[in-house]
Amino acid sequence: PGDQMTEKQIRRRMKIIKPYTKWIRSFSCTEGNELIPMIAKEYGLQTFVGAWLGDDPETNENEMAGLIKLSNEGYVDLAAVGNEVLYRGDLEESELLEFMTEVRERVPSQIPIGYVDAYYEFEDRPNVTAACDVLLTNCYPFWEGCALPYATLYMQDMYRRVLKVAQGKRVIVSETGWPSSGGTFYGAESSLQGAYLYFLRAMEWAAEENIEMFYFASFDEGWKVSGDAGEGDVGAHWGLWDEDERFKYSRIL
């Protein structure tokens, strides 16, 4: 955050992950992130594009303008208005609903819009659930201290809890994953082997049950160790590829 991404950087990494996915998720529409869906479309990928909302009105305005512009230009297949802003306490529910209403009114009707947050927020906030065309739920057994042997079942339960309140709407696992390094969180332990097993089990379940799932993340994010993400050492190690763009699990295959 705060750094400007370049088209060259985005293309380099897009080429790496293109053979393994049909969709790309981006989290922001500023600081070069707005180029991600544009380049993804060139590569024949579908796009899940988010406006990163927070507690700064000017940033929110720029993010909203970017999401609306990209949507109207045909670069967005699925639009997310905010990511965990209720969990972080950055916005009041009423403020989020105003942003969602604005996007719904100003982007093409065929583009589904939703909001991304932890599974329980959709249980606790029926007005937000009602405002979504699609429910975008983050499911992280690790951050609830769940030990690896039970993690896949726990993640599936998170998904089904959202399904129960969705009233027939589409539900997508917008994030799930397991860190390969960085320590423990209660009963959950990060490890390369554990991350690999969680990835395999999550993908197997998604394929067998036809679950739409975005896996977090593509590449490790070293900046999170010293940044304000609040995730400590663990936050830097959720990628399938490391910061040097090497596929991490090739070390154990």
Side-chain angles (χ1 to χ4, degrees), residues 139-150:
C139 301
Y140 283 116
F142 182 89
W143 287 124
E144 297 198 8
C146 181
L148 182 65
Y150 314 104

Side-chain angles (χ1 to χ4, degrees), residues 19 25 69 173 208 215:
R25 180 182 175 195
K69 181 175 185 289
V173 178
E208 289 179 351
Y215 200 82

Side-chain angles (χ1 to χ4, degrees), residues 26-77:
S26 56
F27 289 73
S28 166
C29 293
T30 62
E31 299 178 343
N33 288 281
E34 66 275 10
L35 299 175
I36 295 174
M38 300 169 71
I39 295 170
K41 284 296 181 183
E42 287 184 32
Y43 285 83
L45 297 167
Q46 292 181 279
T47 58
F48 169 11
V49 182
W52 186 268
L53 304 179
D55 57 7
D56 181 75
E58 183 178 353
T59 298
N60 291 344
E61 182 178 340
N62 292 335
E63 289 282 346
M64 288 284 289
L67 178 60
I68 291 167
K69 181 175 185 289
L70 287 168
S71 298
N72 284 300
E73 291 177 348
Y75 295 113
V76 179
D77 294 301

Side-chain angles (χ1 to χ4, degrees), residues 83-125:
N83 183 82
E84 295 186 343
V85 294
L86 298 178
Y87 169 78
R88 296 193 304 271
D90 288 347
L91 292 177
E92 296 294 331
E93 180 179 310
S94 59
E95 295 175 301
L96 173 63
L97 289 170
E98 288 178 8
F99 284 127
M100 295 180 72
T101 298
E102 180 181 355
V103 171
R104 180 67 287 164
E105 290 176 348
R106 296 182 61 190
V107 306
S109 59
Q110 68 268 23
I111 299 176
I113 73 158
Y115 166 66
V116 180
D117 214 325
Y119 64 100
Y120 50 79
E121 294 288 357
F122 297 100
E123 295 177 314
D124 297 342
R125 300 180 185 270

Side-chain angles (χ1 to χ4, degrees), residues 126-182:
N127 290 335
V128 174
T129 299
C132 293
D133 299 323
V134 54
L135 277 58
L136 306 166
T137 177
N138 291 349
C139 301
Y140 283 116
F142 182 89
W143 287 124
E144 297 198 8
C146 181
L148 182 65
Y150 314 104
T152 308
L153 289 173
Y154 195 178
M155 182 265 290
Q156 292 169 3
D157 181 63
M158 294 172 172
Y159 170 82
R160 291 180 181 123
R161 284 172 61 174
V162 178
L163 210 59
K164 287 180 180 178
V165 299
Q167 299 181 337
K169 293 179 180 179
R170 181 180 175 193
V171 177
I172 296 175
V173 178
S174 43
E175 294 178 33
T176 194
W178 198 270
S180 60
S181 184

